[in-house]
Amino acid sequence: MSVASEVSAIRRSAGLSRASHVAVVRVRGAGALDLLQNACTQSPYVREGRVRHTLLLRDDASVFADAFVVTVDDGLLVVAEGPTEAELVAWLAALGERWPALDARAHGTSDEWAVLGVDGPYAWELLAGLLGPPVLGMPYLTLLRRDDLLCLRAGKTGEFGYLLLVPRASADAIEEKLVALGASFDLARVGREALDVCALESWQFSLRNVRETSFASPLTPIELQLQW
């Protein structure tokens, strides 16, 4: 399927993606919130069931990651675009070394979860078939939990958009169920390029489209005109 066809699916029906470009890192310990308070451009503190959208910046103020932070069980999850999982874990570990008194540990979750994305005007109805009616009442930047599955309403395409953190062992089965449920909605599989096109059309930030310029290097949130 062409990128144009994938974009059309996101705009007209629903698109399903394997969000391998999204890194998910769990931060635990009594100092986890304090560590992320120093890492994020907005306070990572949110009530249970809410999602914080924030940035992680390097020392030169360039953007390292575009991230969502959520509270889950005894820790926090950083769901980020930009770095790989290993790069994000290493970055948080290096940041923690500046405050050795903090009790905070970061580790990747790729062995535990896979990430699926569902975007489009019928994404909410498709996911209601998978997770039940509570999906229909989810405001933007909220979290829904179903057993070991986490659903974040955090799309960037301008349509209804969700990220699903699903158990790695059942990821293929859940994906197949979504494909079956999506048949009546003309569900299509979509890739990162189509998601980036839709995000840019909706005035959303995408790290994959940031380019160094002769006027500003590195590009900071101010040059990028990000509302953070």
Side-chain angles (χ1 to χ4, degrees):
M1 183 178 287
S2 68
V3 173
S5 297
E6 293 176 9
V7 169
S8 178
I10 294 171
R11 292 293 183 229
R12 297 175 181 273
S13 52
L16 173 65
S17 59
R18 273 272 183 160
S20 57
H21 59 285
V22 176
V24 183
V25 168
R26 190 189 300 270
V27 185
R28 284 178 167 151
L33 183 61
D34 291 328
L35 175 64
L36 291 180
Q37 188 78 50
N38 288 298
C40 298
T41 56
Q42 293 198 73
S43 172
Y45 174 76
V46 287
R47 300 191 310 273
E48 187 174 354
R50 303 292 299 182
V51 178
R52 176 75 75 201
H53 190 191
T54 187
L55 301 173
L56 309 181
L57 304 185
R58 301 183 182 89
D59 286 345
D60 60 7
S62 60
V63 181
F64 176 66
D66 183 20
F68 300 108
V69 179
V70 297
T71 300
V72 177
D73 297 330
D74 60 342
L76 295 102
L77 291 180
V78 181
V79 182
E81 292 187 56
T84 65
E85 177 186 282
E87 290 169 342
L88 182 54
V89 169
W91 188 82
L92 289 170
L95 191 66
E97 290 174 358
R98 302 183 184 183
W99 296 277
L102 289 181
D103 173 20
R105 303 169 301 281
H107 63 88
T109 65
S110 57
D111 291 339
E112 179 181 356
W113 281 321
V115 184
L116 303 176
V118 183
D119 294 88
Y122 292 104
W124 60 276
E125 195 168 352
L126 173 60
L127 285 182
L130 178 71
L131 302 176
V135 171
L136 306 180
M138 288 181 69
Y140 187 59
L141 294 182
T142 58
L143 171 72
L144 176 67
R145 185 164 190 170
R146 283 290 179 267
D147 299 321
D148 293 332
L149 185 153
L150 302 179
C151 175
L152 284 68
R153 185 179 170 195
K156 299 177 181 177
T157 64
E159 310 291 350
F160 290 97
Y162 304 84
L163 290 174
L164 298 178
L165 277 59
V166 302
R168 173 70 63 180
S170 57
D172 290 341
I174 292 173
E175 188 172 6
E176 289 174 5
K177 186 171 183 179
L178 284 170
V179 170
L181 289 169
S184 60
F185 302 109
D186 294 325
L187 176 72
R189 294 183 184 274
V190 299
R192 278 182 293 180
E193 190 172 352
L195 292 169
D196 284 345
V197 168
C198 290
L200 288 173
E201 288 178 349
S202 303
W203 297 93
Q204 290 281 350
F205 167 63
S206 173
L207 268 175
R208 289 177 293 281
N209 287 284
V210 172
R211 301 290 184 268
E212 297 297 314
T213 73
S214 58
F215 302 103
S217 181
L219 290 168
T220 70
I222 295 173
E223 280 87 24
L224 293 168
Q225 301 183 50
L226 299 180
Q227 302 297 313
W228 56 275

